[in-house]
Amino acid sequence: MLLSLTLVSSGFSQPQGPYKIEKIIILRKNIFDNQDQNANFIYSVANRLHHLTDEQVIRNELLFDEGEVYDSLLIKESERNLRALGFIGDISITADTLENQKLLVVVETQDKWTIGVNTGFSQAGQITSFNMGFKDNNFRGKGQKFEGSYNYRSDRIEPHGLQFIFQERHLFGSRWRAKIQYKDSEELTINTFLLDRIFYSDGAEWAASIYTDFGNNLVKEYQNGEIISEYRLSQQNQDLWFSRSFGRKVKFRLTGAYFRNRTQSPQLPPRPFENIDLANFSLNVMNRHYYEGNFLNNFGRIEDISLGYVANVSIGKNVQFFNSNRTDMFVKLDWGHAVGFKKRFYFYYGFAFASYFENRQPKDLTGKVTLLQHLKLPLNQTLVSRFSGLYGSNWSEGRQIVLGSPNGLRGYSAYQFSGQRQLLLNIEDRIFSPLKFWLFRLGGAIFFDSGMVWDENESFKKQKLHSSAGFGLRIENAKQQGGGLTRIDFAFNLDENRFTEVSISSSHLFDAIFKLDFLPPSYLLK
């Protein structure tokens, strides 16, 4: 017999005394439930084409089980795990009291549409391109990811390209994940295998990863938007690491790792991060808590915002098993800190530093600073800004960064600016209107971008900021996996004083929040 006390996972006070979970019930809704359908034929067809998420997929993300003591923190963390999947929309976890200090926990979820089929064709000048692909991030309702695609470009020596990806989130029902990838194109040919066990919960005691890839890629150097050189690299990479977690509120994670790289190139001289056997040890320290926000990156759905800090110190020694690479050491430092005020104002600052050392001399030194903030304004508006700076020194040949419309400076071509140092500012006023058309919510944005990139041997004082301003349309499909967002921006190039392009993307240029999380070991600053 159910008693009168009902506990809801959002904002309730846990009763006195330990309550044990007697039973967990999973209630799954399809993309369109009965109330949504209203006898709509299209909704009915969509539900039939979609595989409803298996109950076991949902149970795998829960951090509590039958027979255990009820813990409201694990309830909230389980909700965050389910939202992070991307293919689950609305989530509700409630608890009703039974007799003898026992609880009935009900988990309600509603699926999102996950099947994507895309095709594209263009003909510009003398170049013809075509692509088609299929992907599903909840393949057969098993939580698996499957993707296959084909592309063609007439200007390639090898015009055809293929890619296949398969990922199993819970291998044989365990906490281990597995991913395989095959990609074959003129720019990149790669075969990848990944087996890892992440810190799936703040209470997880350990994590590990095994990774390998082999293939070849074409590295291009740009100057003023034009290709000035190309390098063909043949590479192999193997990574292995294990991390152990300690502490309750503050998490200390000690990690040991081994990185192996083998690179061959007839055109490039040896670089510090190639042909290396790196034994790496790191300490990760994290203290964070969450609150739930909305109208930041989407139209009102819950977004999990983490506050607190994460720090990482990583030191590597090149043990040089089978090569004569002159690299001695590798050092990497990371710091990130996020604060919030009354769920209206958010500020994040972080920095990262990485460098190799040869005879105590820094090589491929890289430093990066990021500032991110958002301020919620009246009428469902959010003012979001991001500043980033990157400093490179003594970089190896063939290594550079590029700046253009796809990576932060709208209104400019993709590879228009290149170098080893960068400054970039982005400001957006995101407007989430109440307008809705069928499944789609409509909004807009007003933006300003400004940035520059230069070579390390050039004077900063001689550089010029390149800027653009514009407006955009935001279209969100709440039933689509992930954010379900389409971004259409009209950019006015302030160098040329004209509208130069319309950019279309399936995501924001940048997120309004920074995810504080465990930093797995890496021997490159990404």
Side-chain angles (χ1 to χ4, degrees), residues 164-294:
F164 296 98
I165 298 174
F166 180 79
Q167 177 175 304
E168 171 60 69
R169 186 174 179 83
H170 291 278
L171 189 64
F172 305 121
S174 71
R175 292 291 181 180
W176 287 89
R177 302 185 305 180
K179 179 180 178 180
I180 56 174
Q181 177 183 7
Y182 167 80
K183 184 173 184 177
D184 184 13
S185 67
E186 184 177 273
E187 294 85 2
L188 176 65
T189 298
I190 191 169
N191 298 274
T192 298
F193 173 75
L194 171 66
L195 179 66
D196 67 352
R197 185 184 192 271
I198 63 172
F199 283 112
Y200 57 87
S201 165
D202 284 349
E205 296 182 348
W206 62 275
S209 175
I210 302 171
Y211 171 84
T212 183
D213 71 44
F214 59 91
N216 62 81
N217 63 305
L218 187 65
V219 178
K220 300 179 181 180
E221 281 192 278
Y222 295 87
Q223 189 173 42
N224 299 322
E226 300 293 331
I227 299 174
I228 59 172
S229 59
E230 294 183 348
Y231 309 96
R232 178 66 68 177
L233 302 178
S234 176
Q235 288 189 321
Q236 294 183 32
N237 292 282
Q238 287 81 40
D239 303 349
L240 173 67
W241 60 263
F242 176 85
S243 182
R244 186 73 167 84
S245 181
F246 304 89
R248 295 177 63 103
K249 184 177 180 181
V250 180
K251 298 295 181 182
F252 297 88
R253 285 159 177 168
L254 294 172
T255 306
Y258 166 67
F259 301 99
R260 176 185 182 272
N261 172 275
R262 296 293 181 267
T263 299
Q264 293 182 346
S265 174
Q267 298 142 316
L268 277 177
R271 299 184 290 183
F273 47 87
E274 295 172 339
N275 296 311
I276 194 171
D277 294 279
L278 195 70
N280 189 86
F281 298 92
S282 62
L283 171 64
N284 188 272
V285 183
M286 181 176 65
N287 184 2
R288 67 179 176 185
H289 62 279
Y290 288 87
Y291 74 88
E292 295 177 354
N294 53 27

Side-chain angles (χ1 to χ4, degrees), residues 413-461:
S413 62
Y415 306 100
Q416 190 157 346
F417 307 107
S418 58
Q420 293 83 37
R421 297 173 183 177
Q422 172 185 282
L423 293 177
L424 178 64
L425 172 68
N426 305 108
I427 302 175
E428 284 192 357
D429 181 12
R430 298 178 179 175
I431 305 166
F432 301 93
S433 82
L435 298 176
K436 184 177 180 181
F437 173 71
W438 192 31
L439 302 176
F440 303 98
R441 297 185 176 97
L442 306 179
I446 303 170
F447 63 84
F448 173 79
D449 301 332
S450 185
M452 59 184 181
V453 176
W454 67 101
D455 289 330
E456 60 178 294
N457 55 5
E458 296 178 337
S459 171
F460 170 74
K461 296 180 179 180

Side-chain angles (χ1 to χ4, degrees), residues 30 47-53 111 115 136 138-141:
N30 217 322
N47 280 343
R48 289 179 179 274
L49 292 175
H50 171 78
H51 284 86
L52 186 64
T53 302
D111 279 12
I115 300 174
D136 190 346
N138 190 11
F139 188 55
R140 301 183 301 116

Side-chain angles (χ1 to χ4, degrees), residues 69-113:
V69 174
Y70 185 89
D71 186 337
S72 60
L73 295 179
L74 294 181
I75 297 291
K76 301 303 293 183
E77 193 172 1
S78 298
E79 289 181 336
R80 292 194 293 269
N81 283 356
L82 287 169
R83 278 192 288 269
L85 292 175
F87 52 79
I88 300 292
D90 294 333
I91 299 163
S92 172
I93 303 180
T94 59
D96 286 327
T97 55
L98 303 172
E99 295 177 339
N100 300 321
Q101 296 286 100
K102 294 182 180 180
L103 293 176
L104 170 67
V105 176
V106 180
V107 181
E108 295 185 67
T109 64
Q110 185 164 15
D111 279 12
K112 288 186 178 182
W113 178 260

Side-chain angles (χ1 to χ4, degrees), residues 120-130 152-156:
F121 174 83
S122 69
Q123 188 166 9
Q126 304 298 317
I127 300 175
T128 300
S129 62
F130 170 77
Y152 170 88
R153 277 181 62 105
S154 61
D155 60 329
R156 296 171 175 163

